Amino acid sequence: MEAGEAKSKKAGGSRLCCICNQRRPVLKRPKTLQQICRECFYEVFEEEIHQVIVGNRLFKSGERVAIGASGGKDSTVLAYVLSELNRRHNYGLDLFLLSIDEGITGYRDDSLETVKRNEVQYGLPLQIVSYKDLYGWTMDEIVKMIGLKNNCTFCGVFRRQALDRGAALLKVDKLVTGHNADDIAETVLLNILRGDIARLSRCTSITTGEDGPIPRCKPFKYTYEKEIVMYAYFKKLDYFSTECIYSPNAYRGFAREFIKDLERLRPRAILDIIKSGEDFRIATTTKMPEQGTCERCGYISSQKWCKACVLLEGLNRGLPKMGIGRPRGSGNDQKDTKARSTAKSIESKQCGSLEF
Ligand SMILES: Nc1ncnc2c1ncn2[C@@H]1O[C@H](COP(=O)(O)OP(=O)(O)OP(=O)(O)O)[C@@H](O)[C@H]1O
């Protein structure tokens, strides 16, 4: 980098982009702190994602791929970059936008308007699936019943399944999400803080759910959030930037701030946390959950009933805490112990978790 910096200085003292050494730099690249021009930024940003896609063999030619589109910066940049790369490198993919409408007035209704505009701007067909249609409840109704305390648990569990159901409607081979390097580093840290070894071993995988109905990929696994924001800004992409009105989530917020502090001191910290997560060895004596199917809805589950069914049963019986705290007298009566362990394992689920 020192050589690059020296090179980037012109004879007269004014700096030049340390990649092309021709144009004036307009930004300091967050990942490397290099001073670079806009054109070189676009190029390195897109090329790194292309290399991740190719290096990890994320897609096969002819596949139908749904992009989980929330209207936020990450998934908007993902939709834009993936359709560019698909054209440029002839990936041969059929791309779709898939949005889950959680039913949050003043948040998701507005962000869905953004996705509808993206549908036209990027020429990608859009499928919207709502909690109301799938589960009979909107998040507004759930919050009215349960309050603000555990609402992220319901939302995260339902969203995970809703994305699978939407992907099945679209008959896609894969689902991609805009989870970025910061999200993954944060989840590594949270799983360590919670002692959740099963999730720790999964959360750094670039592709998950290969044994389930539809595999999920994270092409932004190594892409820094700050660079995504810069890319969206310079490209003037149309995205929605408001935080969810129901997600206070202090614990995750603390981990996020901690990672941002580390990044300020040493940008590589994010990549190093991901690497540590990847290299953790799980002791052979650690008991891992066994994958099966929910007896009620047939969805993938490591328990008798999947998490969505346990939560939904509680909502429908007017006992919303059933799926959160100690379940009493559910349809799982004979397997009360199992139901309790399901409830316990979802207790720690939070909004923004990679588990969806
Ligand atoms: N309602 C939704 N519909 C479809 N996909 C979603 C939805 N919510 C989240 N996702 C997918 O999950 C990824 C991570 O979601 P998260 O809630 O962590 O949001 P984020 O980091 O703010 O991302 P974004 O900026 O795309 O909203 C998103 O990038 C998107 O691909």
Side-chain angles (χ1 to χ4, degrees), residues 19-75:
I19 295 180
C20 67
N21 214 21
Q22 285 172 4
R23 292 174 289 260
R24 281 178 56 77
V26 294
L27 61 98
K28 191 193 248 184
R29 194 178 173 201
K31 204 174 196 173
T32 58
L33 303 183
Q34 290 169 301
Q35 305 268 4
I36 58 176
C37 68
R38 190 181 303 202
E39 289 76 3
C40 286
F41 173 60
Y42 294 156
E43 203 176 313
V44 287
F45 182 89
E46 291 162 9
E47 183 59 20
E48 279 183 15
I49 296 160
H50 171 59
Q51 290 306 328
V52 168
I53 290 173
V54 174
N56 293 279
R57 296 200 181 98
L58 292 193
F59 311 115
K60 288 195 207 94
S61 180
E63 277 184 338
R64 291 165 67 88
V65 176
I67 302 164
S70 62
K73 60 183 185 336
D74 300 303
S75 47

Side-chain angles (χ1 to χ4, degrees), residues 12 20 39 45 61 69 113 133 147 184 230 238 240 345 353:
C20 67
E39 289 76 3
F45 182 89
S61 180
E113 289 309 310
D133 288 345
I184 296 170
M230 276 184 175
D238 183 5
F240 183 78
S345 77
S353 153

Side-chain angles (χ1 to χ4, degrees), residues 102-105 131 137-155 158 244-248 315 320:
E102 299 94 343
I104 304 177
T105 313
Y131 283 7
W137 292 79
T138 64
M139 275 312 292
D140 287 340
E141 290 164 348
I142 294 174
V143 169
K144 222 177 260 166
M145 183 180 217
I146 67 164
L148 281 174
K149 198 165 165 236
N150 292 305
N151 71 86
C152 290
T153 302
F154 284 84
C155 198
F158 287 165
C244 176
I245 53 172
Y246 295 142
S247 78
L315 282 175

Side-chain angles (χ1 to χ4, degrees), residues 131 134-137 142 153-165 294-316 320 322-324 332 342-343 345-346 349 355:
Y131 283 7
L134 290 180
Y135 307 111
W137 292 79
I142 294 174
T153 302
F154 284 84
C155 198
V157 171
F158 287 165
R159 189 188 298 113
R160 177 175 173 74
Q161 202 184 80
L163 278 167
D164 271 344
R165 293 196 181 185
C294 170
E295 278 184 15
R296 205 181 198 205
C297 72
Y299 182 74
I300 188 163
S301 172
S302 54
Q303 306 288 328
K304 182 178 155 72
W305 280 16
C306 74
K307 290 152 192 169
C309 282
V310 175
L311 291 173
L312 199 55
E313 176 75 4
L315 282 175
N316 290 335
M322 195 171 88
I324 301 287
N332 267 359
T342 305
S345 77
I346 54 182
K349 281 226 178 198
E355 291 287 307

Side-chain angles (χ1 to χ4, degrees), residues 67-76 78 98-102 107-108 112 159 163 176-180 183 225 240 243 256 351-353 356:
I67 302 164
S70 62
K73 60 183 185 336
D74 300 303
S75 47
T76 304
L78 181 61
L98 169 60
S99 290
I100 308 303
D101 180 0
E102 299 94 343
Y107 171 64
R108 190 56 79 209
L112 282 177
R159 189 188 298 113
L163 278 167
V176 292
T177 57
H179 290 102
N180 59 45
D183 294 328
E225 185 168 87
F240 183 78
E243 287 291 309
R256 178 154 288 242
C351 180
S353 153
F356 71 75

